[in-house]
Amino acid sequence: MGSAGLIYGLGQCCLDHIGLIGHYPEPDGKCELEGLVIQGGGPTATALAALARWGRRCHLASVIGDDRFGEEILRSLEKEGIDTAGVIKRPGTSSQVAFIAAEPASQRRTVFWQRPTGEPLKEGDLDLAVLNEAGLIHTDGLFIEAALFAGRRAKERGIPVVVDAGSLRPGMVELARVSDYFIAAENFARQFAGGDVFAACRLIAELGPEVAAVTRGKEGYVAFHRGRFIEKPAYPAPAVDTTGCGDVFHAGFIYGITAGWSVEASLDLGAWAAAEVSTRVGGRSGIPSRAALLARGMA
């Protein structure tokens, strides 16, 4: 870890609108929403929100537009105590927004989203003084040019890099090569290794990460570390919405790693925290408190 243990996040931030439905409607049909929640989202941003609540010092590098959604996103980050000096506001552009229909009965969700219309984060947008101070870098790879630059710089300086790989986008393989911990969603595993999560972990590990893992929702996770597989089922939970579960899984893992825990214990914390998130509507509503971590002997 760096001198101050700063968690440097690099990725998209979003404003989520989430509601519960009984089942997804047929085309041209209507569907009543319940329990509508509006809150900040985004893979890296939500992971940082959890880490900040658990006492970690966090900085986010991202992009928003100069619209009202951008203002709400920024307020949501600042409310969590995240340093937003690295969030760039692009004049005359729109922020990222998502509409999510969650189906508690099937534990599925459908996401409609608009990407930010401003220029993606670039190498020149990053504050190198803050980046150099980081104890760990966490990225979702959604601003790939900036993520690769940060990853390479971190590699040179011995700063660990955690990647949240949602899908096999351009540059993600290169990002794996400069990462230390590469935790992918099942969607990535399907695209990368035909859905075989064990093969996906081995192939990712061959690129260089110390830990290669695939999260599998209610099936738990599989990880490959130092020549052996770690496979665990998900923690049982009365799930209503899976939004943010993967984001907070990463947060739990990062918390453990930065606390000096073993890889297995860090993964376990991630799995427990993800299950807790699923019990509430929205990716941040169900983030367990630091007190809950303490009660489990985890903080």
Side-chain angles (χ1 to χ4, degrees), residues 166 168 185-197 200 214:
L168 184 58
E186 269 194 293
N187 186 42
F188 182 98
R190 281 193 294 271
Q191 296 168 316
F192 192 58
D196 185 333
V197 295
V214 176

Side-chain angles (χ1 to χ4, degrees), residues 77 90 148 181 186 196-197 208 224 260 282:
L77 295 166
R90 304 291 194 205
L148 285 170
Y181 309 105
E186 269 194 293
D196 185 333
V197 295
F224 189 69

Side-chain angles (χ1 to χ4, degrees), residues 81-238:
I82 297 167
D83 174 19
T84 60
V87 178
I88 308 298
K89 184 183 292 185
R90 304 291 194 205
T93 69
S94 299
S95 302
Q96 184 171 324
V97 183
F99 297 90
I100 303 166
E103 302 171 69
S106 61
Q107 295 187 21
R108 299 184 304 184
R109 66 191 174 116
T110 305
V111 182
F112 303 87
W113 67 288
Q114 170 187 277
R115 72 177 64 246
T117 61
E119 184 182 20
L121 204 66
K122 302 293 185 184
E123 171 185 331
D125 292 319
L126 305 183
D127 185 329
L128 298 186
V130 178
L131 183 61
N132 291 340
E133 181 195 350
L136 180 143
I137 293 172
H138 177 47
T139 182
D140 50 34
L142 292 168
F143 297 120
I144 193 62
E145 178 187 315
L148 285 170
F149 171 79
R152 290 168 184 144
R153 194 173 184 90
K155 199 77 170 175
E156 293 169 359
R157 287 161 174 75
I159 302 169
V161 176
V162 177
V163 174
D164 178 350
S167 60
L168 184 58
R169 298 179 299 274
M172 292 302 286
V173 170
E174 290 78 4
L175 190 56
R177 292 193 174 101
V178 296
S179 71
D180 299 272
Y181 309 105
F182 194 95
I183 303 176
E186 269 194 293
N187 186 42
F188 182 98
R190 281 193 294 271
Q191 296 168 316
F192 192 58
D196 185 333
V197 295
F198 294 93
C201 287
R202 282 190 179 276
L203 288 170
I204 293 165
E206 288 173 4
L207 296 171
E210 177 187 341
V211 174
V214 176
T215 57
R216 308 169 67 193
K218 60 184 178 182
E219 301 301 320
Y221 67 87
V222 172
F224 189 69
H225 176 236
R226 296 182 178 173
R228 74 180 185 96
F229 282 103
I230 304 167
E231 183 180 7
K232 294 285 182 68
Y235 275 81

Side-chain angles (χ1 to χ4, degrees), residues 1 4-10 43-62 76-87 130-131 133-138 250-252 254-255 258 284 287:
M1 291 291 292
L6 175 71
I7 308 298
Y8 186 103
L10 196 165
T44 296
T46 296
L48 294 188
L51 286 160
R53 292 185 195 182
W54 300 337
R56 293 291 190 256
R57 193 163 64 92
C58 300
H59 170 94
L60 178 65
S62 190
S76 75
L77 295 166
E78 291 169 347
K79 182 180 178 181
E80 300 289 356
I82 297 167
D83 174 19
T84 60
V87 178
V130 178
L131 183 61
E133 181 195 350
L136 180 143
I137 293 172
H138 177 47
H250 284 79
I254 290 168
Y255 185 94
T258 56
R284 299 185 189 173
I287 295 172

Side-chain angles (χ1 to χ4, degrees), residues 107 235-245 273-282 286:
Q107 295 187 21
Y235 275 81
V240 296
D241 175 27
T242 58
T243 302
C245 290
E276 291 293 300
V277 168
S278 75
T279 65
R280 301 281 296 277
V281 180

